[in-house]
Amino acid sequence: MSRKGTLIVAMAFSSMLMAAAAQAESCRENILGGQDCTYDDGTRSWSRSNILGGFDTTYSDGRTSSSRSNILGGLDTRYSDGTSASSRSNILGGQDTDYTGGSPRRPKSPK
């Protein structure tokens, strides 16, 4: 898969993890190899690619996450609130995700 294809799959996965209930309304690529996203609840995120084949992400609610690619075609992600997730490619072209420490909390909307 091309770098751009990997970025799109990884950012879609990151968006799903970051906002269990919030949906990304818009994302755009940035000069850091990541994306800047805005969610339907007003939350925002900024990511940059890292040397592990994943992304380092900062969320407007103060949380951070760091991911790395895994041998299953997905990402292993750790969040600053103690949650983590691991994904793998499935035969439908999507991702199957397992969460540890509970599913990621919905980010608080900025006031």
Side-chain angles (χ1 to χ4, degrees):
M1 183 181 297
S2 71
R3 177 76 175 148
K4 184 171 180 138
T6 302
L7 173 66
I8 292 168
V9 169
M11 291 312 300
F13 172 73
S14 178
S15 296
M16 290 184 307
L17 293 178
M18 195 290 281
Q23 299 293 318
E25 285 191 336
S26 66
C27 291
R28 64 178 184 190
E29 291 184 30
N30 62 35
I31 63 172
L32 301 174
Q35 291 191 342
D36 300 333
C37 296
T38 302
Y39 299 86
D40 61 358
D41 67 353
T43 305
R44 297 183 65 199
S45 66
W46 305 269
S47 66
R48 63 183 180 276
S49 60
N50 62 34
I51 63 172
L52 301 173
F55 300 90
D56 296 325
T57 306
T58 302
Y59 304 98
S60 59
D61 67 356
R63 288 189 310 143
T64 60
S65 68
S66 183
S67 63
R68 63 180 180 183
S69 60
N70 62 36
I71 63 171
L72 301 174
L75 293 171
D76 295 329
T77 305
R78 294 206 176 273
Y79 291 86
S80 59
D81 66 2
T83 58
S84 62
S86 181
S87 69
R88 62 192 170 280
S89 295
N90 64 35
I91 61 171
L92 301 174
Q95 298 281 313
D96 295 328
T97 305
D98 295 316
Y99 299 97
T100 57
S103 61
R105 294 181 196 137
R106 181 177 180 184
K108 296 177 185 172
S109 296
K111 294 183 178 182

